Amino acid sequence: MLSPKHSRAATRHGGSMHPKPYNLFSEHLKQRFGGRVHKISVDAGFSCPNRDGTRNRPGCLFCDPYGSGSAGIESHLSITGQLRAGKEVMLRKYKAQRFLAYFQPFSNTYAPVETLRARYDEALAVDGVVGLAVGTRPDCLPPPVVELLGEYHRRSYFWLELGLQSIHDRTLKWLGRGHDYSTFVAAFQRAKQEGLRVCVHLILGLPGESREQILDSVEEMNRLGVDGVKLHLMHVLKDTELGRLYGAGQVGMLSRDAYIQLVADVVERLAPQILIHRLTGDGPRDRLLAPLWSLKKWEVLNAIEGELRTRQSRQGSRHRG
Ligand code: SF4
């Protein structure tokens, strides 16, 4: 019989101790490093060409002044300071010993190569940091930057996280992304030529996109051979253009049930070897306008797992490859 503590953990992580019906990044890390590895989000002080006026202004529709960063990033600290503070929290909460420095908000390859090198090196020098995850835009990956990332791929454990959101140019234009799909494909191919692991961010539930269009984005990820995906629920933050449109009643949100069905459809079509870094998104509590059901993240994750078990399916069960 499970102890109350283990029973609580089982419920929180999906209601059973059976293997997950999908290929979770966190499990992959556990196997690779022999124990849990936690990501610590870092604001390294970069900007974004879609916010500073180089490409567009004032940025993607959904982006807030924090550059889509997580809650709790202590941007006033140095990179070392942020990682040390994050480690303390992770140690207290999870007794964690190993970490990935996650360069998350804004565009973390948007600087000269030597600046990038200095900031990545600072993170890797922090005790317990076993690798890097670097989030950026497809139009911030010129060849010299990709070559630099290749160095980090060879000397550490490295993931490139590439924001795409949708393969459909009409949607990208509506979102104000400032790049098209072909720009993404070119950047992705440069990254793969350098041997990088690439995780692609997609947003599910974007206004104007049908279920079929969303599934087309997923099939395209299979075709390209991405290494990982991060699935985000479309959510609305304060101080964003999307928030203004939402307030004016011009955009709707997916219901919780619709999201769960949609994610299950996506997971079934995703090639089985692709690592799922995230299945939903929960915006920072104090900055989230909608949908508020997303704040109950563990309930949503449990419901997604439950839906796949009810369907008796799993990741890749409808993959055409
Ligand atoms: S690319 Fe990222 S940081 Fe830049 S405007 Fe879009 S969401 Fe914000």
Side-chain angles (χ1 to χ4, degrees), residues 254-273:
L254 285 180
S255 69
R256 180 181 180 279
D257 285 351
Y259 186 72
I260 288 159
Q261 294 296 323
L262 183 58
V263 175
D265 292 345
V266 165
V267 170
E268 285 178 331
R269 282 156 183 85
L270 198 61
Q273 74 280 4

Side-chain angles (χ1 to χ4, degrees), residues 211-229:
R211 173 179 172 279
E212 284 63 37
Q213 283 176 307
I214 295 167
L215 297 180
D216 285 347
S217 288
V218 175
E219 295 292 359
E220 185 64 0
M221 296 304 102
N222 291 336
R223 189 190 70 77
L224 285 174
V226 305
D227 304 280
V229 291

Side-chain angles (χ1 to χ4, degrees), residues 44-243:
F46 297 114
S47 178
C48 168
N50 210 28
R51 290 197 70 99
D52 69 5
T54 304
R55 299 272 193 288
N56 203 342
R57 232 181 191 150
C60 302
L61 274 189
F62 55 84
C63 184
D64 73 0
Y66 302 94
S68 297
S70 300
I73 300 181
E74 301 199 56
S75 310
H76 58 284
L77 298 176
S78 65
I79 291 170
T80 306
Q82 291 178 52
L83 286 167
R84 285 190 181 144
K87 274 174 59 177
E88 270 179 37
V89 175
M90 297 292 178
L91 190 62
R92 225 177 22 247
K93 273 188 167 170
Y94 310 111
K95 304 207 183 324
Q97 304 288 344
R98 299 183 194 82
F99 310 93
L100 293 183
Y102 178 24
F103 287 72
Q104 186 195 21
F106 302 100
S107 297
N108 293 283
T109 56
Y110 185 45
V113 162
E114 286 318 310
T115 306
L116 298 175
R117 189 191 296 281
R119 298 194 192 171
Y120 302 157
D121 282 349
E122 183 178 343
L124 280 175
V126 174
D127 197 33
V129 173
V130 295
L132 304 176
V134 170
T136 195
R137 296 166 49 84
D139 55 2
C140 288
L141 286 168
V145 168
V146 177
E147 278 167 32
L148 176 78
L149 301 183
E151 279 180 36
Y152 287 90
H153 172 67
R154 290 184 286 279
R155 63 178 258 221
S156 72
Y157 180 75
F158 184 88
W159 276 88
L160 176 65
E161 299 209 11
L162 212 39
L164 171 63
Q165 324 314 347
S166 166
I167 65 163
H168 303 289
D169 281 342
R170 191 162 160 262
T171 308
L172 296 181
K173 198 166 177 200
W174 182 80
L175 281 173
R177 289 284 299 171
H179 67 79
D180 59 9
Y181 181 56
S182 66
T183 305
F184 165 84
V185 174
F188 174 80
Q189 285 169 346
R190 275 198 299 282
K192 289 313 292 176
Q193 276 159 13
E194 196 62 37
L196 303 182
R197 296 180 190 88
V198 183
C199 170
V200 180
H201 292 219
L202 296 174
I203 299 180
L204 307 187
L206 287 166
E209 283 208 346
S210 65
R211 173 179 172 279
E212 284 63 37
Q213 283 176 307
I214 295 167
L215 297 180
D216 285 347
S217 288
V218 175
E219 295 292 359
E220 185 64 0
M221 296 304 102
N222 291 336
R223 189 190 70 77
L224 285 174
V226 305
D227 304 280
V229 291
K230 219 173 224 188
L231 303 178
H232 296 273
L233 158 73
M234 192 192 88
H235 60 272
V236 186
L237 299 179
K238 289 178 190 166
D239 300 324
T240 62
E241 181 59 14
L242 191 60

